[in-house]
Amino acid sequence: MNFVSIILTLIIVIIVATLILKRYKPHAVLLIAGITLLIAAQFLGINTIVEIEKSTGFWLFDVFDLIRTTLTKDAGSLGMVIMAAGGYAVYMNHVGASTAMVNLCIKPLRHLGSPYIVLAISYVVGQIINIFVPSAAGLSVLLMATVYPILVSLGVSPISATAVIASAACLDLGPASGASNFAAEMSGIDATTYFMQYQIPVALVVVPVVALNHYFVQKAYDKRIGFVPEPQKLDNNEKKENVPSIYAILM
């Protein structure tokens, strides 16, 4: 039975990846895939969809009730984090705080000699922030408002800058992460203990390795596409060059 469930899961993952690569709506694809896996788990006897005490009495209704409760919970917690991060990023860009921070940071960072060193460091910074902002979407919005303009202004290609930002939450570090909490629960240990004793030792090895890979990989791919690393000016900087430097502390 376990073998069947593994094969079924792999098939669904492949189908999901294929549909997303073909530009189908990821929300709908992932939702349907999740429902399919829940139904499969019910028929294969792997796990009950909800606890017996909370069951509606019919397994199919239980599937949709689980979706309802999950969405309600996420909208009230994770959803608020994403909206807060998005609103903050948009407002900081509107008042010119992003531009002020870029202008303040560029000169000292140029002394490092290569914009790709800053790019590698940005990955490390992103992983640290991820501990406090567990939402991958919220973290990406924050980094796009803060790190992205700095990297592009220093001479990193936009696609390389976004590649680092997209991978900043890949480890799901910290007791605030839903994945970490689930792993800790399955392991029968406290989330904080799981983070301190298991995640941090792994992160101390993985984070530097990934940062180093970003340095070489992004540099190589930028060279492959013919991108020349040189300082660039963002479009919105032209309108906000006279923003007071004190605004940088808002970021």
Side-chain angles (χ1 to χ4, degrees), residues 38-220:
L38 285 172
I39 294 174
Q42 175 70 24
F43 278 102
L44 293 174
I46 298 173
N47 197 5
T48 55
I49 297 174
V50 296
E51 297 177 5
I52 297 177
E53 296 81 7
K54 299 179 180 179
S55 176
T56 61
F58 180 44
W59 64 268
L60 187 58
F61 290 164
D62 288 343
V63 171
F64 291 99
D65 189 57
L66 178 63
I67 295 172
R68 178 188 63 80
T69 55
T70 302
L71 290 177
T72 301
K73 179 181 177 182
D74 288 346
S77 55
L78 186 59
M80 289 301 295
V81 173
I82 295 173
M83 287 189 287
Y88 170 80
V90 171
Y91 185 70
M92 290 301 101
N93 183 64
H94 175 71
V95 300
S98 298
T99 302
M101 188 187 66
V102 170
N103 295 336
L104 192 65
C105 295
I106 281 181
K107 288 183 179 179
L109 290 176
R110 281 177 181 165
H111 292 298
L112 292 176
S114 171
Y116 295 98
I117 295 177
V118 182
L119 179 139
I121 295 173
S122 298
Y123 171 77
V124 179
V125 172
Q127 283 292 354
I128 294 173
I129 297 176
N130 182 225
I131 298 174
F132 308 99
V133 184
S135 164
L139 178 64
S140 297
V141 171
L142 284 177
L143 294 180
M144 285 298 292
T146 55
V147 173
Y148 177 83
I150 292 176
L151 292 176
V152 173
S153 297
L154 286 172
V156 174
S157 71
I159 193 169
S160 289
T162 52
V164 170
I165 291 172
S167 63
C170 66
L171 296 184
D172 269 331
L173 294 176
S177 166
S180 297
N181 273 275
F182 181 74
E185 183 181 348
M186 292 295 100
S187 303
I189 58 178
D190 181 74
T192 304
T193 303
Y194 178 74
F195 171 61
M196 298 297 294
Q197 296 185 5
Y198 296 93
Q199 283 194 310
I200 288 181
V202 173
L204 290 176
V205 177
V206 174
V207 171
V209 171
V210 175
L212 194 63
N213 282 335
H214 268 305
Y215 175 87
F216 290 107
V217 171
Q218 307 309 331
K219 188 175 183 179

